[in-house]
Amino acid sequence: TIDASIQNAALEALAGRKGTVAVYNYKTGEILCAVTSPTYDPDNVPDIAADTTDHWEGVYLNRFVQSVYIPGSIFKIVTTSAALECVPDILNRTFTCTGRLEYGTEAVTCAVPHGTLTLSTALQNSCNCSFAQIGQLVGRENMKKYVQQFGVTDSLSFDGVTTAKGNYDIAQTGAVSFAWSCIGQHTNQINPARYMTFMGAIAAGGNGALPHLVASVTVEGEQTYTAETQMSGRLMSEETAATVQDYLRNTVVNAYGAQNFPGMTVCGKSGTSQLGGDLTSNAMFAGFVTDEEYPLAFVCAVENGGYGAATCIPILSSVLARCKAVLDAQ
């Protein structure tokens, strides 16, 4: 199902940086792009043992299926979905951000005070202080319940490949650690293939297609296998999925700029996942396209890439434009 021209567009857009870019059709399950970088030419295998530059570090790791990443603010999509599912009056609530929400001697912080926000504008502004409050409304047991229900930390198996498992562990955590877990930090980890599928489920109304790579197998002229679309099962209500679609579209239009994705109705959220110490944050972005002719969900992770939006949007702009061209030509 992989399209070589989309793969090349993704690899060129990554420009040698470590990470992964993936796109799949959430109606059929076909994976159009699953780039992992760095990569190598199998006809010219690198001499890793003699490498003193670290250029080939991690070259044999398939970051799409084998890696896990701290999600950062793309995880706020999970917390938003959980709030819509279990907090009855969440649409009528507002949240105040002064830039700092204290928990004894510790605190959740935002770079700037956001003022008074709704659930939608909290997601648009990626307000940490608001999501700490939203997570408190959802509660620990419901956060665990919906992370499990949405499958975002589960491994995923397709075509003989099993992805890495993610992590959401809030056992024996204090209030501030739980708050950061709802924001996408703490010890949270997600696998790109699994999270892309979660995006596809939201785009498809709460029940999207599971991904696959092999379209068919032909042996001696006889087609012995043809892929059939398999669905994820309902992860959330249609109403919740529709609301999250609207919120993520609003985020693209008002936070990132719809002009970055011409001719496509893109919905998504960036993340800047902090790694601690002096390490540059990983850049993350996840989302989907709601146009009938472009049923695509995607994920992008750039290791030590810095700000999610600034780094990932140019990559995804190029990749999705190529996807559009390929689908228009079919």
Side-chain angles (χ1 to χ4, degrees):
T1 64
I2 290 286
D3 184 277
S5 68
I6 301 173
Q7 289 278 98
N8 282 328
L11 194 60
E12 289 174 8
L14 276 170
R17 292 168 290 188
K18 295 177 181 178
T20 183
V21 182
V23 185
Y24 95 121
N25 183 317
Y26 57 76
K27 290 185 176 180
T28 66
E30 297 166 299
I31 298 175
L32 305 182
C33 174
V35 160
T36 179
S37 176
T39 186
Y40 66 97
D41 181 353
D43 289 329
N44 186 20
V45 177
D47 184 1
I48 295 177
D51 177 39
T52 60
T53 66
D54 291 334
H55 176 74
W56 298 112
E57 183 183 3
V59 72
Y60 293 138
L61 178 69
N62 186 314
R63 285 159 163 80
F64 176 58
V65 295
Q66 294 176 305
S67 286
V68 290
Y69 292 100
I70 298 169
S73 290
I74 65 172
F75 195 83
K76 289 170 181 169
I77 303 170
V78 175
T79 306
T80 298
S81 302
L84 288 166
E85 289 276 284
C86 74
V87 182
D89 61 344
I90 191 65
L91 297 180
N92 298 320
R93 285 184 176 264
T94 58
F95 310 94
T96 300
C97 170
T98 62
R100 184 178 179 86
L101 186 61
E102 294 187 353
Y103 294 81
T105 59
E106 300 178 288
V108 167
T109 58
C110 289
V112 297
H114 291 110
T116 301
L117 302 172
T118 63
L119 181 61
S120 175
T121 55
L123 189 64
Q124 175 191 321
N125 288 277
S126 200
C127 177
N128 293 340
C129 294
S130 291
F131 271 90
Q133 297 168 64
I134 293 163
Q136 187 173 3
L137 290 174
V138 173
R140 292 172 180 255
E141 292 306 312
N142 275 329
M143 280 302 298
K144 290 190 290 185
K145 170 188 172 181
Y146 286 106
V147 166
Q148 182 177 15
Q149 179 176 310
F150 299 155
V152 292
T153 60
D154 293 344
S155 62
L156 182 66
S157 295
F158 54 93
D159 300 328
V161 176
T162 299
T163 72
K165 287 186 176 181
N167 181 68
Y168 185 75
D169 184 3
I170 55 172
Q172 299 178 342
T173 56
V176 71
S177 294
F178 171 64
W180 280 115
S181 80
C182 299
I183 293 163
Q185 292 290 150
H186 185 46
T187 59
N188 297 21
Q189 292 180 325
I190 56 99
N191 166 259
R194 176 73 259 186
Y195 208 77
M196 179 190 72
T197 306
F198 174 56
M199 292 295 98
I202 295 172
N207 182 13
L210 295 173
H212 64 266
L213 282 163
V214 179
S216 63
V217 176
T218 301
V219 179
E220 296 180 352
E222 180 183 353
Q223 192 160 306
T224 60
Y225 169 81
T226 302
E228 295 182 0
T229 298
Q230 299 182 36
M231 306 304 288
S232 65
R234 180 152 300 284
L235 304 186
M236 63 184 67
S237 69
E238 290 186 26
E239 182 181 8
T240 294
T243 301
V244 176
Q245 289 174 25
D246 289 342
Y247 285 6
L248 293 176
R249 179 56 182 169
N250 175 69
T251 299
V252 168
V253 171
N254 293 302
Y256 310 130
Q259 70 276 6
N260 288 300
F261 308 102
M264 305 180 88
T265 308
V266 172
C267 311
K269 179 77 184 74
S270 66
T272 305
S273 55
Q274 298 172 7
L275 306 178
D278 295 328
L279 295 173
T280 302
S281 300
N282 288 342
M284 310 289 289
F285 204 105
F288 46 83
V289 184
T290 56
D291 302 298
E292 187 71 24
E293 62 270 42
Y294 313 119
L296 305 172
F298 55 83
V299 67
C300 177
V302 181
E303 295 172 19
N304 308 121
Y307 290 107
T311 300
C312 295
I313 286 177
I315 294 171
L316 289 167
S317 179
S318 176
V319 172
L320 291 176
R322 186 61 205 155
C323 289
K324 182 178 184 298
V326 168
L327 294 175
D328 285 344
Q330 290 178 353

